[in-house]
Amino acid sequence: MDLNADLAEGFGIWRLGDDDALLDVITSANVACGFHGGDSVTMRRVCATAAARGVTVGAQVSYRDLAGFGRRRIDYAFDELRDDVIYQIGALDGFCRVAGMAVRYVKPHGALYNTAAVEEAQAAAVVAAVRDYDRKLPILCSPGSTLAELAVGAGLTVVGEGFADRAYETNGNLVSRSQTGAVITDPDAVVARAVRLAREGTMVAVDGSTIPLRVASICLHGDTPGAAELARRVRDGLTAAGATLAPFAS
């Protein structure tokens, strides 16, 4: 099982999360590419540290929305969204090359993640970007989503992802952050949900029903207070449950 987290989401003098501490725990780093967070100095620093610690790096691509942290839905023309995604992958890949590595996968962030999960137009733009840049790059996304289906149809590799610290609707979509309880903060609950994902490939939805969620990677949000300690607890819980932690891409 892979354990991933969102990193490099600070900007300028503003820091968000503890990137260095998380890089001691996770196996894959979703690195912000400057559109919802991150800047050139932050991207270079995180890529260098990830390379030194053997953590795989993926491009966390988003809407061009620094002010809204990429969590506001934006209507895009197909060509513009496709090319904005390519721009971000290329920027991060440059800093990966400087660090002696390469971008190994692509994951949408925030509102783009949620929109591409259900809307064909934006999902198709993300798929086109990855296909045009490097069709060998896997897309990390929700299993069964529109993005996953279009990516498979285009001959791309899809890696299913589950969120241990987010609530799920009965249809497998994430509960909107605008709703109470959308983010799970109780450490014991987060660990239990991660272990359930790894062992059973299921998740308990907000109505108490059980939904299938076959995943190869579990995400923890790097901007959650105490994210590094929570990640350590999740890693320890997965290991105790018999899971072997390793990046899904190498």
Side-chain angles (χ1 to χ4, degrees):
M1 180 61 69
D2 176 64
L3 186 61
N4 77 74
D6 305 339
L7 301 185
E9 293 183 316
F11 188 82
I13 64 171
W14 180 66
R15 293 295 182 93
L16 179 66
D18 190 339
D19 293 338
D20 287 347
L22 281 166
L23 285 167
D24 280 334
V25 181
I26 61 174
T27 51
S28 295
N30 316 315
V31 177
C33 302
F35 274 32
H36 75 278
D39 55 31
S40 56
V41 173
T42 304
M43 292 162 69
R44 179 169 185 154
R45 174 177 55 80
V46 170
C47 287
T49 306
R53 298 182 188 178
V55 176
T56 295
V57 167
Q60 188 170 37
V61 298
S62 74
Y63 294 139
R64 190 188 293 268
D65 182 28
L66 275 175
F69 198 60
R71 288 180 174 160
R72 303 180 293 189
R73 187 193 184 284
I74 298 176
D75 288 322
Y76 263 85
F78 176 90
D79 291 355
E80 183 180 2
L81 181 55
R82 178 200 60 203
D83 294 345
D84 270 0
V85 171
I86 291 173
Y87 184 98
Q88 292 173 81
I89 299 170
L92 182 64
D93 203 24
F95 289 113
C96 283
R97 291 182 63 182
V98 168
M101 58 195 306
V103 168
R104 295 302 185 190
Y105 63 93
V106 175
K107 173 186 171 178
H109 163 81
L112 178 57
Y113 189 103
N114 294 332
T115 303
V118 297
E119 291 190 14
E120 185 170 333
Q122 294 205 6
V126 174
V127 169
V130 175
R131 183 194 61 214
D132 289 353
Y133 188 85
D134 183 352
R135 63 184 308 112
K136 296 187 296 296
L137 291 175
I139 296 180
L140 182 62
C141 62
S142 294
S145 63
T146 297
L147 176 57
E149 292 173 357
L150 291 184
V152 170
L156 303 180
T157 300
V158 170
V159 177
E161 175 185 43
F163 292 83
D165 57 1
R166 289 293 310 276
Y168 278 85
E169 302 281 7
T170 56
N171 61 3
N173 292 333
L174 296 173
V175 172
S176 170
R177 282 180 175 267
S178 64
Q179 298 185 32
T180 302
V183 179
I184 313 299
T185 57
D186 177 65
D188 292 335
V190 174
V191 172
R193 291 160 69 86
V195 170
R196 183 180 186 123
L197 279 171
R199 276 182 168 175
E200 303 174 17
T202 63
M203 179 63 72
V204 177
V206 288
D207 68 347
S209 63
T210 299
I211 57 175
L213 208 63
R214 300 291 180 183
V215 303
S217 184
I218 296 173
C219 179
L220 295 170
H221 286 88
D223 61 327
T224 301
E229 179 57 31
L230 181 59
R232 289 189 186 93
R233 289 193 57 178
V234 168
R235 182 177 182 122
D236 289 345
L238 289 170
T239 301
T244 299
L245 294 181
F248 64 83
S250 60

